[in-house]
Amino acid sequence: MRRGSRKGIKKIGILTGGGDAPGINAVIRAAVKVAVRHYGLKVVGIEQGFGGLIENRTRRLTQKEVMGILPRGGTILGTTNRDNPFHYPVRLENGGIEFRDVSEKVLETIEKTGIQALIIIGGDGSLKIASRLSERYSLPVVGVPKTIDNDLSATDQTFGFDTALTTATEAIDKLHTTAESHYRIMVLEVMGRYAGWIALQSGLAGGADVILIPEIPFDINIVCDKIKERSAAGKQFSIVVVAEGAKPIGGEMVVQKLVKESFEQIRLGGIGSQVGEQIEETTGIETRVTVLGHLQRGGSPTPFDRILGSRLGAAAVNLLMEGRFGEMVCLRTPHIASVPLAEAVGEMRRVPLGSDMVRMARQIGISFGN
Ligand code: F6P
């Protein structure tokens, strides 16, 4: 295995790491088809993320294995956001657990399986691991960006986001009809971690009255003023979309729990209930809270995510065959391009405050609570 050399590549591996996102199977399918049909390669699927790479849980992927998976959510390979090879939980004889660097085991699996290059489909955490593996061991690795959060700066959009956005928009549409019938305030908490893309865009698409995102800390009194103003104008209901990472001015994000073994330990959640309670208390209008949760990660990918996933999967194999290791494929509309992995994971992509979407939202009367 040599960085920059595609000569003799006959067998590649595919791994999915981190939280799943609709469209992963489209990436796998396209990568397998291009690898097998176009380049005559053999493909090995690594099961259950980096754990599979450490413990040699692999299976052969032929065109038969990827038949019919394009519309399927999830990943046929399984995934986990634990099992970081540089920080791997090892069970001790006394029953305790110690975290160790077992990254050399990755090399053993690669030797045993005969994999000569690896496609890693992942979000920020998995791609950081991919970047470290590529740097430390000169592993021929190519990354594919994946996350419903859409928070990777090196790509215009990550696959999975469009499906999550569609799910969130459908939820807002449904909340609208019941909010209207009961003269209630409906608060919807959506995912997105430290970025407000899902909240902002679903709020715009679903016609929300208030959108709270991590990038714009809010004042609950301003949120309530907006609701009272609507009420005074005869609008008896309101829709408030809250990103899980939203926080009040001078306050902190609400942490639901810490997952110790995970790449990223913090799990956000709970801001929706806080906002809902405060709104009901201040406005006196009956308020209900819905937390959309993992519904946003599940289900069949939208046509956009199927196509983007397929384009990225094909491009990843092409990149490997061009010997461009240590890079990540990305969308630079209208093209598929690539960037160095280290650069790809360097910066989080958050909603720019000068974004025309934010400006338009304000101009049509949506409140960000500030
Ligand atoms: O990064 C994707 C994401 O769904 C976030 O939006 C959310 O905060 C987190 O993962 C949830 O993680 P888990 O599936 O471990 O609960």
Side-chain angles (χ1 to χ4, degrees), residues 14-338:
I14 302 183
L15 178 156
T16 56
D20 63 350
I24 295 186
N25 286 330
V27 180
I28 297 174
R29 172 180 173 270
V32 169
K33 279 178 175 263
V34 171
V36 174
R37 289 171 61 92
H38 190 71
Y39 293 108
L41 306 177
K42 290 205 167 79
V43 185
V44 174
I46 321 285
E47 295 174 349
Q48 299 164 357
F50 287 100
L53 197 56
I54 293 162
E55 290 172 10
N56 193 6
R57 289 190 298 269
T58 60
R59 68 173 190 261
R60 178 90 186 274
L61 289 180
T62 66
Q63 292 196 76
K64 192 160 165 253
E65 271 74 42
V66 298
M67 249 171 66
I69 67 170
L70 185 58
R72 264 170 68 182
T75 156
I76 59 164
L77 291 173
T79 187
T80 164
N81 44 25
R82 298 161 194 234
D83 299 347
N84 177 350
F86 297 98
H87 189 70
Y88 192 67
V90 177
R91 197 166 286 281
L92 304 174
E93 273 177 13
N94 65 9
I97 285 185
E98 193 178 272
F99 288 92
R100 290 191 192 148
D101 181 343
V102 298
S103 56
E104 289 202 352
K105 285 191 140 238
V106 166
L107 299 182
E108 284 171 30
T109 301
I110 285 181
E111 285 299 319
K112 274 188 201 142
T113 52
I115 293 169
Q116 294 155 301
L118 197 57
I119 294 175
I120 295 182
I121 306 168
D124 192 47
S126 309
L127 294 175
K128 274 188 184 133
I129 295 171
S131 176
R132 273 183 88 179
L133 285 172
S134 156
E135 271 166 25
R136 188 184 291 184
Y137 300 111
S138 297
L139 260 192
V141 165
V142 159
V144 180
K146 160 240 61 150
T147 167
I148 63 161
D149 303 336
N150 201 27
D151 60 354
L152 290 175
S153 63
T155 185
D156 288 356
Q157 192 162 318
T158 51
F159 71 83
F161 171 69
D162 189 63
T163 308
L165 172 60
T166 304
T167 301
T169 304
E170 283 168 6
I172 298 172
D173 288 349
K174 288 181 177 167
L175 289 174
H176 251 114
T177 61
T178 173
E180 208 168 358
S181 309
H182 280 268
Y183 318 110
R184 279 174 172 164
I185 311 302
M186 288 292 179
V187 175
L188 177 69
E189 181 183 302
V190 296
M191 284 183 165
R193 234 185 261 273
Y194 308 115
W197 295 106
I198 299 178
L200 174 64
Q201 296 198 27
S202 66
L204 291 177
D209 306 296
V210 177
I211 301 174
L212 304 179
I213 58 176
E215 295 83 350
I216 308 179
F218 64 88
D219 176 342
I220 194 68
N221 294 313
I222 296 178
V223 172
C224 293
D225 287 349
K226 169 74 190 176
I227 290 167
K228 287 192 227 156
E229 181 193 301
R230 278 178 54 81
S231 186
K235 293 168 185 159
Q236 304 282 350
F237 71 95
S238 290
I239 303 288
V240 180
V241 178
V242 187
E244 62 180 359
K247 58 179 182 194
I249 296 170
E252 295 299 327
M253 294 183 185
V254 183
V255 175
Q256 192 197 16
K257 63 173 167 187
L258 292 178
V259 185
K260 255 180 116 186
E261 317 77 38
S262 183
F263 305 159
E264 159 76 69
Q265 299 189 347
I266 294 173
R267 290 294 175 282
L268 298 170
I271 185 70
S273 299
Q274 286 192 6
V275 165
E277 270 168 35
Q278 289 169 333
I279 290 176
E280 190 167 74
E281 212 177 281
T282 311
T283 64
I285 306 173
E286 201 175 31
T287 303
R288 293 289 184 269
V289 178
T290 303
V291 179
L292 200 51
H294 290 81
L295 286 174
Q296 291 157 99
R297 290 236 300 261
S300 184
T302 57
F304 182 90
D305 281 338
R306 295 181 198 189
I307 295 168
L308 178 58
S310 303
R311 292 171 75 192
L312 294 172
V317 178
N318 290 331
L319 212 60
L320 279 186
M321 297 311 282
E322 284 163 25
R324 309 240 307 271
F325 308 132
E327 295 192 18
M328 180 190 88
V329 288
C330 59
L331 176 65
R332 288 276 157 81
T333 311
H335 305 291
I336 297 294
S338 70

